[in-house]
Amino acid sequence: MSLITDSQTLADFCARLHSAPYITVDTEFLRDTTYWPKLCLVQLGGPVDPDAAADPVAAIDALADGLNLQPLFDLLRDRNVLKVFHSGRQDMEIFYNLMDGDLPQPIFDTQVAAMVCGFGEQVGYDTLAKKLVGAHIDKSSRFADWSKRPLTDKQLHYALSDVTHLRQIYEALKAQLERTGRAGWLDEEMAILTDPNTYCTDPETAWQRLKTRSSDRKYLAVLRAVAAWREREAQRRNVPRNRVIRDEQIQDIAAHAPRDQASLARTRGLGADFARGRLGEGILGAVESALGQPKEAWPKPPQKPEIPPGLGPLIELLKVLLKTKCEQHGVAQKLVATSQDLEQIAADDAADVTALRGWRREVFGEDALRLKHGRLALAAKGRGVMLIEI
């Protein structure tokens, strides 16, 4: 099994793959004690070449002393080589951070492709390997400590299997997409995965990930300021957010808006020593900054679109239609429409939702509007549901 630990071998291996039409990519990393993911291993695979002396598959030891990863980054930037991932969002985030905001392009995510090809929502790699390749993945190394050296043969075998079987999975899904004319159905999802904004962690928007306990604008202003302070502190120290302060403590601080050490010390789990220290000073500074802003600058509570009364039964009918159409077309419901999409369609024919655009409109959106306006009906037939033209 090939493990690359020196820069010259890595450069030579990547040079070979620049001529490949695609490569398969996977990573092993740790994030238990850090804010930024710690890359431990990168696995690459090129198409099988029966005339080659060796299979173009290798694991790159990202923790090897003196290893220069630049040839890898150059390969990932090569737009003539398709990069194939399975559920690649976390892998892409790692490369975004290591490549100074650049991302591997172009890409193909087999999990998304499997959703288009009728394998269900968020299908696992091991499931696809079994169904499409007939391979059984040994999961016993999945939660190994990938930072410890030396790596065992069992770990390397597991890691490399994530890119060797991925080649056949990709080729099978690609063939099915071309056969059914659905290759373009992936474009929107791939655009999201290759958009730098997907991975940009702006401290000023960190509060939006928290569950808000109030719609009061003063509460939201303090919540925003303290969440932004925590985000910057976690990034600076490279520790998980909750190692700085926990979500519920931020919510408590937002509710009481402490202005001095004694008030801050009453926050559950903090105490007087914390309040007197550097972190306590930072929190009080964030609270002061929030309360010192003009009230017009305080955030407004998130607005949920109002659904007119009486639409509940129609929304339930749309859910049945969505499930029926997705089963007919062999595509995951999650990829076509969300519950919020259905609510908005029920309320507005011109709702700005993806379900009413492009291929989703052809699969579901047009019939959703016809059902809404009484031009289509649903009826039980045996164990299924049939659509009736009216």
Side-chain angles (χ1 to χ4, degrees):
M1 290 179 286
S2 179
L3 178 64
I4 296 175
T5 59
D6 68 274
S7 300
Q8 187 58 56
T9 304
L10 175 60
D12 293 342
F13 182 68
C14 290
R16 290 173 56 198
L17 293 179
H18 274 286
S19 61
Y22 72 85
I23 58 171
T24 52
V25 188
D26 190 44
T27 66
E28 307 298 341
F29 61 92
L30 296 178
R31 204 173 193 168
D32 299 336
T33 60
T34 60
Y35 180 92
W36 309 106
K38 180 181 180 181
L39 180 62
C40 301
L41 201 69
V42 181
Q43 304 94 273
L44 296 180
V48 176
D49 183 356
D51 298 325
D55 194 4
V57 175
I60 302 162
D61 185 355
L63 301 181
D65 288 341
L67 182 64
N68 181 5
L69 291 176
Q70 193 58 48
L72 168 64
F73 300 151
D74 291 341
L75 175 62
L76 295 176
R77 290 186 177 102
D78 187 344
R79 290 179 175 267
N80 294 316
V81 181
L82 180 70
K83 273 65 69 173
V84 179
F85 296 87
H86 180 83
S87 186
R89 188 173 184 128
Q90 287 185 303
D91 304 312
M92 294 287 283
E93 181 188 6
I94 290 171
F95 293 126
Y96 171 82
N97 290 323
L98 292 176
M99 295 166 58
D100 300 321
D102 283 348
L103 285 163
Q105 293 195 47
I107 70 166
F108 182 101
D109 192 308
T110 55
Q111 186 176 72
V112 178
M115 292 169 70
V116 169
C117 292
F119 287 91
E121 297 180 5
Q122 296 181 324
V123 60
Y125 176 73
D126 49 338
T127 300
L128 283 182
K130 184 177 181 180
K131 289 184 175 181
L132 294 177
V133 184
H136 174 73
I137 306 296
D138 181 0
K139 303 177 186 177
S140 59
S141 294
R142 176 168 292 180
F143 299 108
D145 185 344
W146 292 95
S147 68
K148 290 185 177 179
R149 297 294 182 270
L151 297 169
T152 66
D153 286 347
K154 186 175 183 180
Q155 282 179 287
L156 283 174
H157 185 273
Y158 166 81
L160 290 172
S161 71
D162 280 347
V163 292
T164 51
H165 301 310
L166 189 55
R167 298 177 296 191
Q168 293 168 276
I169 291 171
Y170 159 68
E171 289 173 357
L173 291 173
K174 177 174 178 282
Q176 185 169 338
L177 289 169
E178 290 174 348
R179 186 170 59 252
T180 57
R182 296 183 178 183
W185 290 21
L186 303 182
D187 292 348
E188 187 174 324
E189 282 66 34
M190 296 307 103
I192 293 171
L193 287 173
T194 53
D195 182 354
N197 291 324
T198 302
Y199 312 99
C200 180
T201 51
D202 180 4
E204 296 304 319
T205 62
W207 69 282
Q208 296 173 356
R209 293 194 295 267
L210 301 175
K211 292 182 179 179
T212 55
R213 296 176 178 174
S214 170
S215 59
D216 180 76
R217 293 185 67 184
K218 176 182 174 183
Y219 167 91
L220 294 176
V222 176
L223 185 81
R224 178 176 66 182
V226 177
W229 167 84
R230 180 181 71 168
E231 200 76 12
R232 288 190 290 268
E233 185 68 19
Q235 291 175 356
R236 186 186 68 80
R237 292 165 53 191
N238 193 23
V239 297
R241 297 178 184 94
N242 283 340
R243 292 281 183 94
V244 181
I245 56 171
R246 299 192 303 274
D247 290 357
E248 56 268 28
Q249 291 170 329
I250 293 181
Q251 291 159 341
D252 227 17
I253 292 166
H256 297 101
R259 307 292 290 268
D260 54 49
Q261 293 178 2
S263 300
L264 178 62
R266 286 194 286 271
T267 303
R268 184 174 180 178
L270 295 187
D273 289 343
F274 181 97
R276 285 193 296 266
R278 186 183 64 81
L279 296 182
E281 182 181 340
I283 292 173
L284 290 174
V287 174
E288 197 65 36
S289 171
L291 298 181
Q293 293 177 333
K295 292 184 179 180
E296 309 85 66
W298 289 353
K300 296 179 181 179
Q303 296 295 316
K304 291 186 178 180
E306 286 192 19
I307 304 301
L311 288 183
L314 173 58
I315 293 169
E316 293 303 314
L317 279 177
L318 289 172
K319 289 180 181 178
V320 176
L321 177 67
L322 176 64
K323 187 173 183 65
T324 301
K325 297 292 289 185
C326 288
E327 287 186 356
Q328 287 177 355
H329 288 272
V331 60
Q333 294 179 57
K334 180 181 178 181
L335 207 58
V336 177
T338 65
S339 296
Q340 189 175 18
D341 289 345
L342 301 185
E343 292 174 357
Q344 292 188 51
I345 291 171
D348 182 3
D349 287 3
D352 184 19
V353 295
T354 57
L356 292 180
R357 295 195 292 269
W359 65 267
R360 292 174 177 84
R361 187 180 182 103
E362 296 177 22
V363 168
F364 169 72
E366 285 289 351
D367 280 344
L369 295 176
R370 292 170 65 222
L371 176 68
K372 176 181 174 180
H373 291 287
R375 299 196 298 273
L376 186 70
L378 302 174
K381 182 179 182 181
R383 297 182 178 180
V385 172
M386 63 182 293
L387 277 58
I388 301 173
E389 300 286 342
I390 296 178

